[in-house]
């Protein structure tokens, strides 16, 4: 089954940046997401890298008006099912496997799978995926590398993530094959742990004012 492009673009085009979050304490998820939405970043990726990440997703999905909460670092079918059950509206993975794509076929919640090479992009295009995460963006070659994929693999449009910052985002957002970028700089684990909601909102506002 092909990717539902309109559905995943609702997430990718909601703002220029998707904040990528590592949340240890689900009680902090609601004020954190509220600050992000107030700052203009409604699409929020909570990674399944902490024990209570699913509770955090559930709390945001039930309590934060205007948020489009998704799950990141989803590596297999079991995590896909759990993330959907918790209320995720999109699913992000650093790569793609046949099993993960089969899991996506069983759900209406869309997948944004990761790719970093021409062959990985071609594998996903063959499976009907045209909206991808470029990961790890900076380490794999940055904006100039991604630009070089835009002509031979024109159907693929990306959300570069990994090492992206407020300073580095504009070079990606200017590319024809980029719809948005992702990154943890807006609300890193320390900002969330120390409840720096004002700082998170301020960084969200700066990120949401980038041109895309
Ligand atoms: C990740 O999955 O960790 C994201 O790519 C975020 O990367 P960053 O912390 O370098 O922004």
């Amino acid at each position: 089954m092909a990717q539902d492009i309109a559905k995943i673009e609702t997430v990718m085009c909601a703002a220029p940046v998707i904040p990528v979050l590592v949340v240890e304490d689900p009680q902090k998820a609601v004020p954190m997401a509220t600050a992000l939405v107030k700052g203009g970043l409604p699409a929020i990726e909570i990674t399944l890298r902490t024990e209570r990440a699913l509770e955090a997703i559930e709390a945001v999905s039930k309590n934060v008006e205007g948020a489009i909460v998704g799950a990141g670092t989803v590596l297999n079918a079991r995590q896909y099912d759990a993330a959907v059950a918790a209320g995720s509206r999109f699913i992000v993975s650093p790569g793609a496997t046949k099993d993960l794509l089969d899991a996506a076929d069983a759900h209406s919640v869309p997948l944004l799978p990761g790719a970093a090479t021409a062959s990985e992009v071609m594998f996903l295009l063959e499976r009907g995926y045209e909206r991808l995460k470029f990961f790890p963006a900076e380490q794999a070659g940055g904006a100039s590398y991604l630009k070089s994929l835009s002509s031979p693999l024109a159907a693929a449009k990306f959300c570069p993530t990994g090492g992206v910052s407020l300073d580095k985002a504009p070079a990606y957002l200017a590319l024809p094959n980029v719809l948005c970028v992702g990154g943890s700089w807006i609300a890193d684990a320390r900002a969330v742990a120390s409840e720096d909601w004002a700082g998170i909102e301020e960084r969200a506002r700066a990120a949401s004012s980038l041109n895309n």
Side-chain angles (χ1 to χ4, degrees):
M1 207 167 70
Q3 184 184 36
D4 186 334
I5 291 180
K7 215 178 234 181
I8 199 67
E9 282 199 349
T10 304
V11 177
M12 296 177 81
C13 301
V17 180
I18 299 176
V20 177
L21 307 152
V22 177
V23 184
E24 299 285 351
D25 177 358
Q27 293 207 330
K28 299 204 161 107
V30 169
M32 173 202 74
T34 303
L36 290 167
V37 172
K38 270 166 83 182
L41 301 182
I44 295 168
E45 175 188 334
I46 297 181
T47 59
L48 300 193
R49 292 188 211 164
T50 61
E51 260 176 42
R52 303 184 69 188
L54 290 169
E55 288 172 68
I57 290 169
E58 193 172 352
V60 173
S61 102
K62 287 192 173 144
N63 300 301
V64 184
E65 211 185 305
I68 307 169
V69 65
T73 325
V74 174
L75 305 180
N76 54 49
R78 184 183 50 78
Q79 288 179 321
Y80 207 118
D81 295 345
V84 170
S88 303
R89 306 231 330 247
F90 64 98
I91 303 291
V92 184
S93 177
T97 66
K98 189 183 164 303
D99 283 359
L100 188 72
L101 298 178
D102 288 346
D105 284 347
H107 287 286
S108 62
V109 174
L111 171 67
L112 185 68
T117 67
S119 293
E120 290 167 6
V121 174
M122 287 166 66
F123 164 74
L124 284 161
L125 289 173
E126 271 181 11
R127 287 283 303 238
Y129 281 79
E130 296 188 346
R131 299 295 174 264
L132 313 175
K133 165 170 163 156
F134 172 49
F135 177 81
E138 280 295 299
Q139 298 82 351
S144 65
Y145 175 104
L146 190 57
K147 184 178 182 201
S148 68
L149 298 183
S150 67
S151 174
L153 301 168
K157 309 271 186 241
F158 296 89
C159 172
T161 308
V164 180
S165 60
L166 185 66
D167 291 344
K168 290 188 170 139
Y172 288 105
L173 292 168
L175 299 180
N177 57 346
V178 168
L179 297 180
C180 63
V181 302
S184 62
W185 85 88
I186 304 118
D188 63 18
R190 204 167 57 180
V192 177
S194 65
E195 306 192 0
D196 178 18
W197 313 134
I200 289 173
E201 186 180 331
E202 195 181 307
R203 285 187 292 282
R205 190 156 289 123
S208 69
S209 318
L210 289 164
N211 291 319
N212 69 335

